[in-house]
Every structure is written in C-alpha cells, then in structure tokens.
Amino acid sequence: MSVDTPTTTQEPDSSEVVLAVTDAALDSVLSIRAQEPDPSALALRVEVTGARGTEFTYDLSFEELDAVGDDHLRYTVGELTVVIPNGSVDRLRGAELDLPRAAGQGGLVIRNPNRPDPLAGVELELSGDVAEKVTQLLDGSINPALASHGGYASLVGVDDDSNVYVTMGGGCQGCAASAMTLRDGIRRAIKEAIPEVAEVIDTTDHAAGENPFYT
C-alpha cells in the first residue's frame, strides 16, 4: 500500500516518517477522529509502553496538538498529524500502522521490525530443577527433530519467575518458520512437560541468520 508523503510542520525533524501509515489505516483513524468535537485539533499519539516477550506493547490515543510538547517527534500523513514521544522513536523506526490482514478482525496493528531485548535487566542462571528439566527436554526430544533441518534450540536460562529463555541456532536462525516453531511447538512442549514454567521467551537474533524475517 502507498503511504502519503508527509508535509513539513513546525518541528525541525518533522520530515522523518518513523511510523508509516497505510491508506487503509489512515482512513480508519480519520473516521474515528471525525467523531470527536474538534477533529482537526487532534493528533494521533503513538507510544511504546513496554514489552511482552519479544514484542513491544503500544498505546495509541488522540492528543490535542496544542498540548504536544517539544519532547515529541511530529509529522503529518495526509490529513493526520502523528506524534511520537522521543523515547519511542528508535523503537518505532521502520514500523507500519495498518489494519489486520485477517478477515473480520477489527482494530489497528503495528508491524514493527524492531524487537525488545528480552534479556535486558534479567539475571539468568542455568541451575535449578526447571533449567535441568528444560535442558533434558531439549536434548532428548526437541533437538533430534530440529537436527533434520540443521537447527537446534538451546536454553539460555531461567529467571526467578520461572520464565524460560530459549534461543535457536544453526539452520533455524534466520529461518522464516523458526519463530513459529518455537512459539507453537517448543513453547507448547515445554509448558506441557514442565507445568511450573511460566512462559517461554525467544531470544534468537533472527536478523543475523541467512534469511532474516520480521513479523
């Protein structure tokens, strides 16, 4: 889909489109904004609020243009002004606001090539019953199946909340199906076999493989 060329606004860096907006998403946002008392006075504010596993979480809201501070990047797409807090700019750069691709699914989606660092601020250790059980499961059941594709999965560690951190390598790194393999296959196998595991988090640097992908 094409994206309207942004027009220049008051901000010196306003020509940079950090988060692209598809035509369909633009129409949807403008339609929602039109229900407000003074639509033209409102900007779409997009902020990264945190992370859930390997995905960022976001807040999208309308904000009065006059209330937007200097600590926000501002640019326009068509008739819509987009504002992004400076702290979210790098984490949204190259992302796209769009409608869901699945038929009948409402709302908006952000397709972002950037990923949070799941290990940031987390202290891990390869000790304890959960780590031993996960390692045994990977070595005895999961890796033999992945070996036929030249790949493997390794335990990075377990945190105090029983979250398990796993990375994929070999032929799995950079493979477009590897994230789905971990999410749908390995995650399910670990959680079913080891009920005390709270969550399985993928720490693979998929972009470093031969076939990097983004979802």
Side-chain angles (χ1 to χ4, degrees), residues 164-175:
V164 171
Y165 296 78
V166 176
T167 186
M168 303 184 74
C172 290
Q173 187 176 19
C175 171

Side-chain angles (χ1 to χ4, degrees), residues 26-163:
L26 179 62
D27 289 343
S28 178
V29 172
L30 291 177
S31 175
I32 296 170
R33 193 185 67 168
Q35 301 174 35
E36 299 295 328
D38 189 5
S40 62
L42 299 177
L44 176 66
R45 184 179 186 274
V46 184
E47 180 180 13
V48 175
T49 57
R52 182 180 297 113
T54 58
E55 300 289 341
F56 285 120
T57 56
Y58 309 94
D59 177 65
L60 281 72
S61 60
F62 289 121
E63 183 166 339
E64 292 186 4
L65 282 165
D66 292 342
V68 178
D70 294 336
D71 57 344
H72 286 62
L73 175 74
R74 178 197 305 224
Y75 57 92
T76 59
V77 179
E79 299 177 13
L80 178 69
T81 299
V82 179
V83 295
I84 301 174
N86 289 342
S88 297
V89 168
D90 287 341
R91 290 181 285 182
L92 280 169
R93 185 171 278 111
E96 179 184 71
L97 181 67
D98 195 8
L99 300 185
R101 290 172 180 158
Q105 185 176 352
L108 296 163
V109 297
I110 293 179
R111 299 189 177 92
N112 195 344
N114 307 297
R115 293 289 183 270
D117 179 4
L119 300 179
V122 179
E123 295 185 4
L124 302 174
E125 58 179 341
L126 288 175
S127 62
D129 292 340
V130 171
E132 293 172 357
K133 290 178 182 178
V134 171
T135 299
Q136 292 169 7
L137 181 64
L138 291 176
D139 292 344
S141 176
I142 294 171
N143 279 333
L146 295 178
S148 62
H149 301 283
Y152 61 87
S154 299
L155 175 67
V156 178
V158 181
D159 65 19
D160 292 337
D161 296 322
S162 295
N163 294 307

